Amino acid sequence: MNKKSWGAMLLSAAMAISLAACGGTGGSTGSGSSENVSASSAGGAGEWKIGAVLELTGKASVWGIPQRDAIQMAVEEINAKGGIGGKKLNLIVYDNESNETNSLVAAKKLVSQDEVLAVIGAGTTPTTMPLIPYMMKEEVPLISVGSGDEIVLPVEDRKWVFKTPSNNADISTSIVQFLKRQGKSKVAFISVNNAYGDSGKKTFEMIAKANGIEIVAAEKFGAADKDMKPQLTRIKSLNPEAVIVWAIPPAASIVNRNFWELKMDSMLIYSAGAGANAFIELAGEAAEGTYIASGKVWVADQLPDSDPQKQILMDYVKAYEEKYKTQPSPIDGMAYDAALLLAEAIGQAAEKGDVTRAAIRDGLENVKNLVGLTGIFNTSPDNHQGLKADDVVMLQVKDGKWVLAQ
Amino acid sequence: MEKQLEAAVHSRKTAIPRHWPLLLVLALLLLGVPLFTGSYVTGLFVLMGIYVIAATGMTLIMGYGGIVTLCQAAFWGMGAYTSGILTASYDVSPLAALLAGIVLTGGVAALLGLITLNLHGHLLSLATLGFGIVVNIFLLEESELTGGPSGLVGIPEFNLFGLTLASDKQWFYLVWLAAFLVILLVRNLVNSSWGRTLKAVHASAAAAEAMGVHVGRYRWQAFIISAVLASLSGSLYAHYMTFISPELFSFEQSIRYVLMAVVGGLASVWGGLIGVIVVTVLTELLREVIPLLLSESSAGAAETIFFGGLLVVMMIFMPQGMAGGLNKLWDRIKDGRNA
């Protein structure tokens, strides 16, 4: 092989690298930039050190950045009220680049180098799964913001692991009840080809079956796909009464656009994963009439005054908009809840005068009627998630805004 | 390049590396890492050691075999999944599973090689690219076996003759021992008559063929060895992480291995090691620096652009990679001293 062809081959490799750039960012070992939101004292004695591993860059950064902002806001609010048991919270955030390997490396940095009391994160199911064995071994409490039910199940193997997003089972139940109210029984299911879509598919199929709802088609697409018309065309030919989508933006928004372009007239229902502001932004006018089973952050002002969550939701939306000049979403609400749960557990431990990782874990298992943004949390040794199906509401897009579905 | 290759074909090397005092100092420094750092830094080094094994395979096939393969991550994944599935679902001992992974991956590489190695240049690269994508689709769709997109959970820790590797420290020593053994093995391999023939094939396939060398066979063997090393690395990775998912073994990771091999240096067996270190350190540095200069969310894209640019610059100005550059520097120092 001569010199010229060598250069050409390597150049083609270089082009391939830039190709790979379109698919997302490759991660290497390591963890990310750290940011400290801390009390004035930097020392360890006067504060509770907690950590977070989130998707600040990479393909899930649509979630990670608002989640980081929400956690920082929660910590600042708690510190402004004098902290917990007289000590302030010190939050350390690392980026995992939406990469599973980096997620573990970042968690190790928090646990072994920063010696935090507990870790919030990661923000998605695949980036949370590698942390679980490590946190179990090191005995450090982990509160995930990932949606997959397997994060907290089976509970006997998840002694140190908790999560705040609603279980897929609760979201599925909420969707199924809505379908029954609307008199629909023939649906199609389409999901993203990753841990999130996979886990949603399994759960939804089980709950739909138990409630007499027939799934006429189950299609999949890749998280980075740009066109889902082939799958939707197949679904259209089967004439379902509703199409259920388990995906996150931007792919979730593309499904909505394609659905609209194909002039499909069935109901289009999304799981909570689409609950980022980017969803409507990307789907544009195609989103009109689309449903989502989600938390209540978007509709805080439409809730009846009798709703126990109304107060905290209104306060959150106001504070978030003031601080970050942008709209909050249910996705960052889950991260805010994780900070609330952790603060509650540290508070319980501080009352007993013994704030250790083990005491915080015990506290996390003993949360009673904590009103959060995603729902009202009641945890126990056999329930490390603590929400009910009622905490999930159905919303619909009307004039480009989310409203409570009728 | 040709001249250097020619020189390499004719040079005879001793079994012990030329720069052994330097290597000894580096090795001693490396041995101290887990003693003076926490599980975070040690963990980083464990991952680096794992990458070194697969990247060394890449150096062998690209640098000595002269083939750009774009499926190293697929072989890496086959090793990882074979180990993962056999130990998690069938209670096979990790060592046996690791060997099974090597046999399976080597076998698949042999078959793939038989079909494709008569292709040349870009066509061969494209064939390996396609194979990598097929493996990824298999991992995603065969969910009964692989756990599908949700990934494979519950992979037990690695144990060696009854000794379970639980701490990062133990992992560190195992992985780096394996990495150095692999480098030494590859080094002695490329300096053997087999390796010299391989280099001759790379320098000029036509000339080698005229001398009666079966060009295809040598490339084929190098391809299998490279795949086996990827599999070994993948098995270790699976046991270290205890969780794997198809996304880890995608095309992007293959490109990362190409990058590591090119940056490190294709004309030296130490290229893989140097490449992994340089890429890891640069990634860490970039992650600190980019958010200061640009917006936070652009960090990932900027990193990709940086590494793409680096690859082009390296090819133009330092085609021998870092290892070649270091070698030159070493020679210059020595010449200066002798003069």
Side-chain angles (χ1 to χ4, degrees):
Chain A
M1 195 162 298
N2 61 32
K3 191 173 182 175
K4 243 182 199 161
S5 71
W6 243 116
M9 272 167 75
L10 288 176
L11 267 171
S12 58
M15 280 156 80
I17 288 236
S18 31
L19 254 181
C22 308
T25 59
S28 155
T29 51
S31 66
S33 54
S34 73
E35 295 141 59
N36 291 2
V37 177
S38 68
S40 49
S41 68
E47 58 191 22
W48 310 122
K49 221 189 230 180
I50 58 171
V53 180
L54 293 167
E55 289 70 14
L56 301 185
T57 58
K59 50 188 175 290
S61 57
V62 178
W63 292 32
I65 294 192
Q67 287 180 341
R68 190 250 344 249
D69 291 347
I71 297 172
Q72 279 182 348
M73 197 171 88
V75 166
E76 280 166 24
E77 282 171 4
I78 291 161
N79 286 346
K81 285 180 202 148
I84 303 167
K87 289 190 191 181
K88 298 202 166 170
L89 286 174
N90 176 6
L91 172 71
I92 302 168
V93 185
Y94 289 127
D95 177 19
N96 64 17
E97 300 191 339
S98 313
N99 172 296
E100 294 152 30
T101 315
N102 287 351
S103 195
L104 180 63
V105 172
K108 281 188 172 173
K109 194 170 179 184
L110 285 172
V111 169
S112 76
Q113 192 166 304
D114 300 315
E115 296 180 347
V116 296
L117 285 167
V119 175
I120 296 175
T124 66
T125 311
T127 45
T128 301
M129 294 312 287
L131 307 189
I132 293 172
Y134 177 71
M135 297 315 245
M136 293 288 292
K137 195 166 72 192
E138 294 293 319
E139 307 195 326
V140 182
L142 176 74
I143 309 174
S144 171
V145 200
S147 326
D149 299 4
E150 64 268 37
I151 291 172
V152 288
L153 295 173
V155 76
E156 0 11 308
D157 298 334
R158 300 287 188 267
K159 194 175 164 203
W160 295 84
V161 186
F162 300 81
K163 78 171 181 121
T164 54
S166 287
N167 278 335
N168 279 322
D170 289 344
I171 295 167
S172 300
T173 307
S174 166
I175 294 176
V176 164
Q177 280 166 358
F178 178 74
L179 287 170
K180 279 172 128 179
R181 277 204 303 279
Q182 302 284 326
K184 314 277 183 197
S185 61
K186 196 177 141 196
V187 304
F189 191 90
I190 179 165
S191 59
V192 58
N193 201 358
N194 67 16
Y196 176 65
D198 204 38
S199 143
K201 178 167 181 268
K202 278 181 209 148
T203 321
F204 186 81
E205 277 175 350
M206 198 176 70
I207 289 172
K209 206 174 163 196
N211 286 280
I213 287 186
E214 186 197 355
I215 299 176
V216 293
E219 296 284 342
K220 280 190 220 167
F221 55 85
D225 286 3
K226 302 278 178 277
D227 183 57
M228 289 73 167
K229 281 199 196 107
Q231 292 94 329
L232 285 172
T233 308
R234 272 200 294 278
I235 288 176
K236 192 182 178 188
S237 68
L238 294 164
N239 250 330
E241 292 169 312
V243 178
I244 319 292
V245 191
W246 230 269
I248 71 170
S253 307
I254 298 173
V255 172
N256 203 153
R257 282 208 77 85
N258 289 162
F259 183 88
W260 181 69
E261 282 157 10
L262 289 172
K263 301 199 170 20
M264 292 170 73
D265 51 7
S266 50
M267 279 180 139
L268 183 61
I269 305 176
Y270 279 85
S271 66
N277 290 321
F279 177 71
I280 295 190
E281 280 166 30
L282 295 172
E285 54 183 329
E288 198 62 27
T290 299
Y291 293 90
I292 188 171
S294 130
K296 300 171 185 166
V297 170
W298 278 326
V299 291
D301 50 348
Q302 300 163 33
L303 294 171
D305 289 334
S306 58
D307 193 306
Q309 283 176 269
K310 176 148 185 160
Q311 190 56 45
I312 182 173
L313 282 164
M314 294 293 283
D315 291 347
Y316 175 73
V317 172
K318 190 160 161 268
Y320 193 99
E321 281 175 354
E322 259 172 30
K323 191 166 161 60
Y324 299 114
K325 311 288 174 236
T326 175
Q327 295 262 322
S329 71
I331 296 295
D332 42 71
M334 297 166 189
Y336 188 85
D337 284 347
L340 289 186
L341 277 181
L342 185 54
E344 162 77 16
I346 295 177
Q348 285 188 18
E351 255 170 49
K352 291 180 197 140
D354 172 37
V355 181
T356 59
R357 287 169 174 173
I360 291 173
R361 192 210 76 86
D362 293 344
L364 283 170
E365 231 171 45
N366 186 32
V367 173
K368 296 281 170 271
N369 289 322
L370 176 78
V371 181
L373 301 173
T374 318
I376 296 166
F377 290 88
N378 277 297
T379 58
S380 69
D382 358 307
N383 185 351
H384 279 191
Q385 198 272 326
L387 294 177
K388 291 186 300 295
D390 303 347
D391 292 314
V392 182
V393 289
M394 289 302 288
L395 310 180
Q396 188 180 19
V397 182
K398 284 240 168 87
D399 301 324
K401 291 228 166 344
W402 291 107
V403 296
L404 279 167
Q406 298 308 312
Chain B
M1 185 90 196
E2 274 148 75
K3 224 178 223 173
Q4 206 142 7
L5 269 167
E6 205 177 297
V9 171
H10 295 297
S11 74
R12 289 197 141 267
K13 288 191 178 173
T14 47
I16 298 162
R18 184 157 62 113
H19 317 315
W20 68 268
L22 179 73
L23 288 174
L24 196 68
V25 172
L26 286 179
L28 283 177
L29 277 177
L30 192 65
L31 283 181
V33 167
L35 302 177
F36 302 108
T37 57
S39 85
Y40 158 61
V41 178
T42 314
L44 262 186
F45 271 88
V46 172
L47 286 167
M48 277 163 68
I50 291 173
Y51 293 142
V52 165
I53 298 173
T56 303
M58 203 65 206
T59 310
L60 176 72
I61 188 71
M62 267 183 81
Y64 294 91
I67 302 166
V68 179
T69 62
L70 296 171
C71 61
Q72 193 73 344
F75 291 135
W76 197 51
M78 284 171 69
Y81 268 92
T82 311
S83 268
I85 292 166
L86 286 180
T87 53
S89 314
Y90 299 99
D91 275 337
V92 177
S93 89
L95 195 61
L98 183 143
L99 293 175
I102 285 176
V103 171
L104 177 78
T105 313
V108 170
L111 275 179
L112 180 69
L114 278 182
I115 306 166
T116 60
L117 284 192
N118 284 327
L119 297 173
H120 291 285
H122 314 307
L123 292 176
L124 178 55
S125 301
L126 282 179
T128 58
L129 171 88
F131 172 74
I133 293 171
V134 169
V135 169
N136 210 256
I137 293 173
F138 179 86
L139 296 179
L140 277 170
E141 296 299 328
E142 283 303 310
S143 46
E144 294 278 303
L145 189 66
T146 63
S150 300
L152 188 66
V153 286
I155 303 170
E157 274 157 344
F158 197 72
N159 68 62
L160 211 56
F161 312 115
L163 179 79
T164 303
L165 292 180
S167 74
D168 282 307
K169 255 181 213 158
Q170 289 165 315
W171 266 105
F172 177 91
Y173 291 117
L174 173 85
V175 163
W176 281 96
L177 181 71
F180 275 106
L181 285 179
V182 162
I183 294 175
L184 277 184
L185 186 86
V186 170
R187 182 181 176 278
N188 288 340
L189 206 56
V190 298
N191 292 331
S192 68
S193 95
W194 179 85
R196 287 198 297 277
T197 316
L198 185 67
K199 279 182 274 190
V201 166
H202 179 187
S204 168
E209 209 148 25
M211 299 301 289
V213 173
H214 192 312
V215 170
R217 187 199 293 154
Y218 282 87
R219 285 195 176 153
W220 182 61
Q221 287 164 343
F223 186 60
I224 297 172
I225 295 170
S226 142
V228 160
L229 292 181
S231 167
L232 169 67
S233 163
S235 292
L236 291 173
Y237 180 86
H239 285 291
Y240 180 65
M241 292 293 285
T242 69
F243 168 84
I244 47 178
S245 80
E247 220 163 283
L248 292 163
F249 308 104
S250 63
F251 172 60
E252 281 162 45
Q253 185 65 30
S254 288
I255 291 294
R256 250 192 134 67
Y257 280 125
V258 173
L259 178 74
M260 285 169 177
V262 171
V263 169
L266 292 171
S268 163
V269 288
W270 302 98
L273 173 73
I274 296 169
V276 170
I277 294 172
V278 170
V279 170
T280 308
V281 170
L282 277 180
T283 313
E284 293 293 302
L285 281 179
L286 282 179
R287 210 172 298 134
E288 297 292 328
V289 173
I290 290 172
L292 302 178
L293 304 174
L294 302 160
S295 81
E296 210 162 54
S297 46
S298 64
E303 200 181 298
T304 318
I305 293 169
F306 176 84
F307 279 117
L310 178 73
L311 198 54
V312 173
V313 171
M314 293 285 299
M315 271 177 261
I316 298 171
F317 297 106
M318 243 176 142
Q320 302 290 303
M322 293 282 179
L326 288 178
N327 247 336
K328 245 185 234 165
L329 194 71
W330 175 270
D331 285 344
R332 205 171 287 168
I333 293 169
K334 225 173 47 181
D335 289 350
R337 215 168 33 200
N338 290 348

